[in-house]
Every structure is written in C-alpha cells, then in structure tokens.
C-alpha cells in the first residue's frame, strides 16, 4: 500500500510558518477561506482522486509536531518561543476542510480561523499532485527524471564554471507544491546539494532543510498581503500595514518583500525609502521578469540606495535556461537568486498540474491578487476587484481566472 503523501508537518514551505507566526501574534481572530484551483486541463478528471484525497486529508489531520521537529523550529532565530509552544499543541482540524466532486471538477475548501486553516495550503497541493502523478507514472518515469536531473546539474556546472559576474548565481528549491513526490524532491535536492554546493543555497522545504543541513528559504506569500485588505485598514494603506507588521515581527530577518499582490507599480508606490532600507530585497512572481527587475533597480536608484546591497529573487515559472538568462542580465548589477519549483521537482516527462490554493475571503470580505501576469488575477467578487483597481490606479488589468471563482454548490452537510 502506498505511503501517505505527507508524513511530517514540517514537509511544507518555510513561508507558511513565517506568515503564520505573524498572523498569530497580530491578527489571531481573523477568519479565512481558501479555495483549491486547477488552472490547466489535467490528463484525467481530478474528481477521480476524491477518495484518495479524503484519505490523505484524514491522515494529515492526524499528524502533530514531534519533539525533534519542535526543537528544530526553536533553533531558527526568527521563530519565537511562544509560537513553538503553539505548534506543540497544534493539529489541523478535519472539520475545517472539505473536499468534494462536482462533475469532473475536484473542489477543496478550507474555512475557519486563519491561524488554523492557513497551514493546509501547501500540504493540499502536494497531496493532489503526488496522487495525480502516481496514476501517470510508468516503469521508466524515474529513470527519465534522473537523466533530466543529471543534464540540469551538468548545464549549471558548466555555466557557473565559465561565467563569473560580480554577484554569484544562487539557486533555491521552491518545489514542494507541485512536486512529483516527496521522495523525488528529496532526491533532487540532495543531488543539487552534492553537485553544486557553491551555488545551491537552500530549499523552501523545512523538512528537507532540517534533514539535509540546508538553509530554509522563504519569507511571505500573496495570502499575507491579501489578508490585510480585510483587516480594518484603509484599503489604500493595506500594503504598508502588512510590511510594517512584518518589520516589527522580524526586526531585520526575513527581509525579502513580495511585489505582485497589486502589481509592481502599485507596490513601488508604497515601498518608500523607509521600507526599501529595511527590506533586503524583492521577489518576482508574475509579469516580465526583465521589466520587473529594471523597475526595481530604477526605484533603488531614485532612492539613492546601492542596488549591490539588495537582492532580486526570481521565482515565476523558472527553468534553468531562464534563470541563466536573468543572471546574465542582472548579475553584475544586484545580488540575484533563483527559486525554481516544478522544473526541479516535477520534470520527469509527465504532464504537470498548474494548481494553487488561494485565499479568497477574510472576515467575510473578498480579497484579491491583481497579478502582473494575465490569467493569474484571482478574485470571485467583480465589484471588489473593480474597486481595488480604482484605489490603486491599475488601469490595464489582466483577465480574472475563471477557475478562481468559488463552487456553484456546496457538499451536503
């Protein structure tokens, strides 16, 4: 019988913990709703996975943090003792998450206190993709994956040997959510760690970081900034409020700001000299990465800040060749880092899913992401979306993802 896709609660992205700690300390009363979305067409109806998904969710909700896991979290200097005490007694509650089928569509909704439901996201995505991949995998799948992995490592070894720019080529694994399997992610990360130790700088997967002695990588995701749209701040000020809380929570640690919740231009309008000095750098996750990087460097120049002291992290659908091209463009002008996900942990010759589990409401109010990439804007309330665009002067919106809309029916209770 196959093992459960998730066997440790540490098997998730670091930013789930860093956002979680901030929300627990500053907005513990927030209610939230998250929806699972598949943006592309799967090879078979995801509804077929429903029994296995429910079984995996049952197993997930039976897990708790173990003493050695708590000890590791306590050793991270930005994780506070009271948060570790909270983790000690924490369990994901099965009553807060529902999965059901509607025709060929798989629906998964997590709803309840945000500090109890926000932790589902990455686990749910890893569960769905591993169950999906198990059905597609053949006898030669792993062998094909290993050939592709060896080719990536050789390509990077050759490139980094021949190319020396002012700043180093730094690579991170960001591949938990859409990985082929947990075991394969471990094999991939171990191979990069062994083969490219000067350039492979860490992983977002907290479990693998602990087990392999790597640096856990991550700061914030879209849900963190989206939450502040519904927390009682003036909507125009919600980004500044979110960044201020982050600065106060981490006091200089975890200093990479996400830029595309309202779009890069609206982000830069709020990212004044105060925040630009306090944050170490920026993360790109939608839109043209070269245009984004040029805007970031121009902003630092206007503020008279030395871009060589700042880091640009690229993380939007990267593969090795795109990362190399971006390094060539920016590597002499700023510190750069490349977080690669699916192309590292699910490149085995099989079709992959483009799946997300996005925050859609906080405290009963809609929240939205105005992406710089067409099709990645997520919101199920057109009125709020139009108001958000008006407030921030977003005049050229991308289309709303149809799959971002909530289900038309709910399961029987």
């Amino acid at each position: 019988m196959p093992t459960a896709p998730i066997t440790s609660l540490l098997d998730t992205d670091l930013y789930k913990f860093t956002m979680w700690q901030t929300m627990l300390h500053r907005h513990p009363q927030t209610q939230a709703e998250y929806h699972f979305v598949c943006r592309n067409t799967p090879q078979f109806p995801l509804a077929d996975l429903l029994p296995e998904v429910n079984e995996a969710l049952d197993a997930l909700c039976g897990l708790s943090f173990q003493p050695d896991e708590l000890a590791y979290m306590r050793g991270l200097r930005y994780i506070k003792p009271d948060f570790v005490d909270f983790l000690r007694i924490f369990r994901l509650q099965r009553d807060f998450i529902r999965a059901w089928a509607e025709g060929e569509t798989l629906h998964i909704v997590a709803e309840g206190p945000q500090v109890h439901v926000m932790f589902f996201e990455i686990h749910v995505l890893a569960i769905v993709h591993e169950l999906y991949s198990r059905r597609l995998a053949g006898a030669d799948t792993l062998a094909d994956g290993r050939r592709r992995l060896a080719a990536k490592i050789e390509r990077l070894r050759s490139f980094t040997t021949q190319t020396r720019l002012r700043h180093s080529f730094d690579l991170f694994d960001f591949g938990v959510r859409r990985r082929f399997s947990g075991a394969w992610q471990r094999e991939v990360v171990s191979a990069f760690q062994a083969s490219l130790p000067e350039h492979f700088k860490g992983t977002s997967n907290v479990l693998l970081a602990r087990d392999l002695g790597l640096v856990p990588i991550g700061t914030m995701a879209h849900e963190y900034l989206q939450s502040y749209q519904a927390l009682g701040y003036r909507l125009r000020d919600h980004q500044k409020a979110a960044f201020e809380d982050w600065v106060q929570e981490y006091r200089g640690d975890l200093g990479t700001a996400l830029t595309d919740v309202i779009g890069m231009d609206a982000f830069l309008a709020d990212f004044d000299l105060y925040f630009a000095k306090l944050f170490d750098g920026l993360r790109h996750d939608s839109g043209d990465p070269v245009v984004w990087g040029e805007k970031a460097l121009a902003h630092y120049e206007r503020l008279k800040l030395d871009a060589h002291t700042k880091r640009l992290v690229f993380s939007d659908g990267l593969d090795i060749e795109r990362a190399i091209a971006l390094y060539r463009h920016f590597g002499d002008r700023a510190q750069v880092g490349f977080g690669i996900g699916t192309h590292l942990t699910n490149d085995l010759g099989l079709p992959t899913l483009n799946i997300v589990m996005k925050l859609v409401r906080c405290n009963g109010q809609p929240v939205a992401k105005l992406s710089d990439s067409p099709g990645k804007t997520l919101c199920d309330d057109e009125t709020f979306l139009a108001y958000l665009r008006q407030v921030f002067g977003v005049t050229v919106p991308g289309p709303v993802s149809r799959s971002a809309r909530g289900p038309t029916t709910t399961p029987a209770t």
Side-chain angles (χ1 to χ4, degrees):
M1 182 177 179
T3 59
I6 304 295
T7 58
S8 166
L9 292 180
L10 285 188
D11 191 9
T12 191
D13 285 327
L14 177 69
Y15 65 31
K16 297 308 296 186
F17 290 101
T18 56
M19 294 186 295
W20 196 6
Q21 176 174 274
T22 307
M23 297 306 291
L24 180 68
H25 286 159
R26 300 180 184 275
H27 300 284
Q29 77 285 1
T30 305
Q31 298 288 310
E33 183 178 343
Y34 294 77
H35 287 189
F36 170 84
V37 174
C38 182
R39 290 170 168 156
N40 63 348
T41 302
Q43 296 298 297
F44 61 86
L46 293 186
D48 293 355
L49 295 174
L50 180 62
E52 298 159 81
V53 167
N54 273 319
E55 183 179 349
L57 290 176
D58 290 342
L60 177 67
C61 292
L63 297 175
S64 59
F65 287 99
Q66 299 304 299
D68 61 322
E69 296 172 334
L70 294 168
Y72 175 77
M73 294 301 295
R74 190 177 292 109
L76 301 175
R77 72 179 187 182
Y78 45 81
I79 297 297
K80 298 181 179 178
D82 71 299
F83 182 53
V84 179
D85 292 337
F86 172 80
L87 296 181
R88 183 187 303 278
I89 61 174
F90 176 80
R91 280 201 177 194
L92 287 163
Q93 300 299 308
R94 191 65 172 89
D95 289 346
F96 291 150
I97 190 164
R98 300 166 292 140
W100 72 97
E102 200 173 279
E104 295 187 344
T105 303
L106 175 67
H107 291 292
I108 306 174
V109 172
E111 185 176 6
Q114 190 169 29
V115 295
H116 286 275
V117 300
M118 65 188 299
F119 197 56
F120 276 113
E121 179 203 2
I122 304 301
H123 294 309
V124 167
L125 298 176
I127 284 168
V128 171
H129 216 311
E130 181 158 347
L131 295 176
Y132 177 78
S133 297
R134 286 177 184 178
R135 294 203 181 186
L136 299 180
D140 297 330
T141 296
L142 285 177
D144 193 13
R146 289 177 180 126
R147 286 192 294 271
R148 293 165 183 255
L149 174 59
K152 291 183 182 73
I153 289 172
E154 183 53 39
R155 174 72 174 104
L156 279 177
R157 183 185 286 119
S158 173
F159 172 73
T160 54
T161 299
Q162 297 172 10
T163 306
R164 298 285 180 178
L165 302 181
R166 175 166 177 173
H167 298 286
S168 64
F169 181 98
D170 293 343
L171 177 66
F172 319 118
D173 158 51
F174 281 5
V176 182
R177 66 182 56 216
R178 297 168 191 160
R179 66 193 185 190
F180 174 76
S181 70
W184 177 245
Q185 185 182 20
R186 184 178 292 266
E187 182 172 338
V188 169
V189 170
S190 297
F192 273 95
Q193 179 188 26
S195 302
L196 295 164
E198 292 183 14
H199 301 283
F200 187 72
K201 296 300 178 71
T203 175
S204 66
N205 187 319
V206 181
L207 180 66
L208 293 184
R210 185 200 67 165
D211 291 352
L212 301 177
L214 289 165
V215 176
I217 304 292
T219 56
M220 66 184 72
H222 300 99
E223 65 176 301
Y224 174 69
L225 288 122
Q226 285 177 265
S227 296
Y228 279 73
Q229 296 169 8
L231 295 181
Y233 302 98
R234 193 175 69 140
L235 185 59
R236 183 62 186 84
D237 297 331
H238 83 273
Q239 289 192 117
K240 292 181 179 179
F243 292 136
E244 182 64 34
D245 276 0
W246 194 269
V247 166
Q248 296 303 322
E249 182 72 22
Y250 292 110
R251 313 294 296 182
D253 275 319
L254 304 174
T256 301
L258 181 62
T259 67
D260 73 326
V261 172
I262 309 296
M264 183 60 164
D265 292 339
F267 168 84
L268 292 177
D270 286 344
F271 200 69
D272 58 14
L273 182 62
Y274 171 75
F275 289 123
K277 282 187 172 183
L278 292 175
F279 280 87
D280 300 321
L282 310 175
R283 178 164 76 90
H284 170 264
D285 199 49
S286 66
D288 186 312
V290 173
V291 172
W292 175 89
E294 293 294 343
K295 286 182 177 182
L297 294 179
H299 189 67
Y300 284 130
E301 184 176 1
R302 281 193 299 272
L303 296 175
K304 295 181 169 41
L305 296 178
D306 183 0
H308 293 291
T309 68
K310 301 298 181 179
R311 180 183 290 274
L312 305 180
V313 178
F314 298 89
S315 63
D316 181 30
L318 292 184
D319 56 25
I320 297 298
E321 294 305 322
R322 289 175 186 168
I324 286 173
L326 288 168
Y327 176 69
R328 284 177 169 145
H329 190 89
F330 291 109
D332 276 330
R333 303 163 67 193
Q335 299 172 44
V336 288
F338 305 97
I340 303 184
T342 307
H343 185 65
L344 289 191
T345 62
N346 207 335
D347 184 18
L348 300 95
L350 300 177
T352 58
L353 297 174
N354 185 354
I355 53 175
V356 294
M357 190 165 183
K358 289 300 184 183
L359 178 68
V360 297
R361 284 179 185 80
C362 266
N363 293 333
Q365 300 179 42
V367 298
K369 180 181 81 165
L370 293 178
S371 175
D372 285 319
S373 291
K376 291 182 73 174
T377 293
L378 287 172
C379 186
D380 65 359
D381 188 303
E382 290 285 359
T383 301
F384 176 73
L385 195 61
Y387 178 55
L388 188 64
R389 287 172 176 149
Q390 179 184 1
V391 167
F392 284 91
V394 179
T395 57
V396 188
V400 180
S401 172
R402 294 179 61 189
S403 59
R405 302 190 179 279
T408 57
T409 60
T410 56
T413 57

